[in-house]
């Protein structure tokens, strides 16, 4: 027979157990749209989570894809192939098309899908070089492209967030004693561009949470590359927080709901990390069998 104390303890455990399960489960479910490129015995392979909670599946592309992204409507992969062409591969049915091909005047990198306007943003490297780049907008319905960001120097890593296009801008190489790379954003309606970060170091790979409250990025402001975030709203707008620390290299932040995913490189190899932004809990996710290294993490 249970005593009143035992009954109270059992009731408390019953109340706490679902909460504990929910907290533990925040980082152990693969989000739909997560993409990365993993190194296997067969070379670099593209992995995609096409169903929430399912493990990443090898897409078995016939090329080594660079910076692949997943789109859900229509369900497809967009990537740069080993010949420098911009490809769109429909997954159901499996059918591909070339959107852009490189030329002597320009090559392309780092595609970013804009679902609101069925468009693709791309970095255009003039004469195939990264010292002077523009960001193009490619309308997927008409297959017409036009430049939208034409700042001096080089722009990289476009990332959409509602009516904003975030990107990194290298604005000082010669005369500064070091490379300075900051995050900027371009308003797709008004055409106004403005600088967002001001750390006077290398800050890159921007991504914004679904609420447009926080900008996440990788920076070497503290020496090693770590993940930071900067507030975009309210009285705290502009406040910067360092989220990861240690003798590691943390790159490629990606956001799903209130979880931060990123790639961590350390002395023992590479890991896919998940951080619960509510609790700050950090977890290393188990990669698919045979994957020894990873790059190009994205969630769309």
């Amino acid at each position: 027979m249970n005593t009143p104390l035992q009954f109270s303890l059992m009731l408390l455990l019953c109340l706490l157990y679902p909460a504990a399960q929910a907290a533990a489960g925040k980082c152990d479910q693969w989000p739909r749209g997560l993409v990365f490129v993993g190194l296997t015995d067969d070379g670099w392979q593209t992995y995609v989570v096409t169903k929430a909670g399912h493990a990443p599946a090898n897409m078995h592309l016939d090329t080594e894809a660079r910076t692949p992204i997943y789109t859900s409507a229509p369900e497809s992969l967009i990537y740069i192939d080993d010949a420098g062409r911009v490809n769109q591969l429909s997954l159901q049915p499996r059918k591909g098309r070339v959107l852009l091909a490189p030329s002597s005047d320009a090559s392309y990198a780092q595609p970013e899908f804009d679902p609101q306007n069925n468009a693709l943003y791309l970095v255009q490297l003039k004469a195939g070089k990264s010292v002077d780049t523009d960001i193009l907008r490619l309308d997927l319905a008409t297959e017409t492209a036009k430049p939208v960001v034409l700042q001096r120097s080089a722009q990289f890593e476009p990332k959409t967030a509602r009516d904003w296009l975030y990107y990194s801008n290298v604005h000082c190489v010669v005369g500064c004693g070091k490379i300075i790379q900051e995050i900027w954003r371009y308003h797709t309606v008004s055409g106004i561009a403005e600088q967002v970060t001001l750390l006077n170091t290398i800050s890159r790979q921007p991504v914004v949470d679904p609420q447009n409250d926080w900008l996440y990025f990788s920076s070497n402001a503290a020496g090693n590359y770590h993940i930071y975030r900067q507030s975009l709203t309210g009285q705290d707008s502009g406040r910067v927080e360092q989220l990861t620390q240690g003798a590691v290299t943390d790159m490629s932040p990606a956001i799903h709901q209130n979880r931060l995913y990123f790639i961590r490189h350390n002395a023992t190899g590479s890991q896919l990390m998940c951080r619960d932004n509510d609790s700050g809990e950090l977890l290393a996710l188990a990669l698919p069998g045979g994957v020894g290294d990873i790059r190009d993490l994205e969630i769309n």
Side-chain angles (χ1 to χ4, degrees):
M1 181 175 179
N2 292 329
T3 66
L5 177 59
Q6 289 173 321
F7 180 80
S8 297
L9 288 173
M10 289 174 62
L11 179 61
L12 180 62
L13 286 173
C14 288
L15 292 172
L16 291 177
Y17 181 69
Q21 272 201 319
K26 286 184 177 180
C27 268
D28 63 2
Q29 293 290 319
W30 291 99
R32 185 186 183 199
L34 184 145
V35 183
F36 64 85
V37 180
L39 182 60
T40 71
D41 290 342
D42 296 321
W44 291 98
Q45 301 290 317
T46 300
Y47 289 81
V48 183
V49 178
T50 57
K51 293 183 179 179
H54 287 219
N58 189 341
M59 293 290 101
H60 298 288
L61 302 181
D62 58 1
T63 185
E64 181 182 315
R66 291 181 314 218
T67 57
I69 55 174
Y70 170 85
T71 72
S72 58
E75 189 176 26
S76 65
L77 273 180
I78 298 174
Y79 59 92
I80 312 293
D81 67 17
D82 51 14
R85 296 170 298 194
V86 184
N87 293 269
Q88 183 176 31
L89 174 66
S90 173
L91 299 184
Q92 294 181 352
R94 196 174 172 104
K95 184 179 180 181
R97 64 170 175 157
V98 176
L99 300 175
L100 281 174
S103 67
S104 58
D105 295 327
S107 59
Y108 306 98
Q110 299 172 337
E112 164 67 3
F113 182 60
D114 175 9
Q116 293 186 106
N117 301 294
N118 190 33
L120 195 68
Y121 289 98
L122 293 148
V123 174
Q124 178 181 258
L125 295 84
K126 298 176 184 178
K129 298 178 180 179
S130 61
V131 294
D132 189 8
T133 70
D134 296 330
I135 295 179
L136 300 182
R137 182 181 182 274
L138 173 66
D139 188 308
L140 292 177
T142 63
E143 297 190 13
T144 57
K146 67 175 183 179
V148 293
V149 179
L150 297 167
Q151 291 175 227
R152 293 181 60 188
S153 190
Q155 285 66 240
F156 300 103
E157 303 157 337
K159 181 63 67 173
T160 58
R162 298 183 187 175
D163 291 332
W164 290 101
L165 176 70
Y166 288 78
Y167 57 95
S168 61
N169 170 259
V170 181
H171 67 267
C172 191
V173 178
V174 179
C176 298
K178 62 178 181 178
I179 296 175
I180 295 179
Q181 189 169 354
E182 301 283 9
I183 309 299
W184 283 62
R185 63 181 182 180
Y186 166 86
H187 196 259
T188 58
V189 178
S190 68
I192 295 174
E194 61 186 21
Q195 186 172 335
V196 182
T197 64
L198 186 58
L199 297 182
N200 292 317
T201 182
I202 297 179
S203 299
R204 53 186 301 250
Q205 299 176 327
V207 64
V208 177
D209 68 7
Q211 294 75 36
N212 269 24
D213 290 335
W214 293 96
L215 164 70
Y216 293 79
F217 57 96
S218 177
S219 178
N220 65 350
N224 288 18
Y225 281 95
H226 296 116
I227 305 300
Y228 291 75
R229 69 178 183 180
Q230 179 170 317
S231 176
L232 298 173
T233 59
Q235 295 181 345
D236 288 339
S237 180
R239 178 169 59 88
V240 177
E241 298 178 1
Q242 182 177 343
L243 300 181
T244 66
Q245 297 84 26
V248 294
T249 298
D250 293 334
M251 307 288 288
S252 302
I255 295 291
H256 177 74
Q257 296 178 353
N258 203 31
R259 300 192 293 274
L260 165 68
Y261 296 81
F262 61 94
I263 296 174
R264 167 164 288 179
H265 303 282
N266 54 34
T268 60
S270 299
Q271 296 173 298
L272 178 54
M273 307 297 296
C274 176
R275 181 185 188 270
D276 174 16
N277 286 330
D278 289 328
S279 66
E281 181 183 7
L282 198 61
L283 178 70
L285 303 180
L287 295 172
V291 175
D293 194 5
I294 54 174
R295 59 173 172 83
D296 296 341
L297 174 67
E298 293 278 352
I299 300 177
N300 285 304

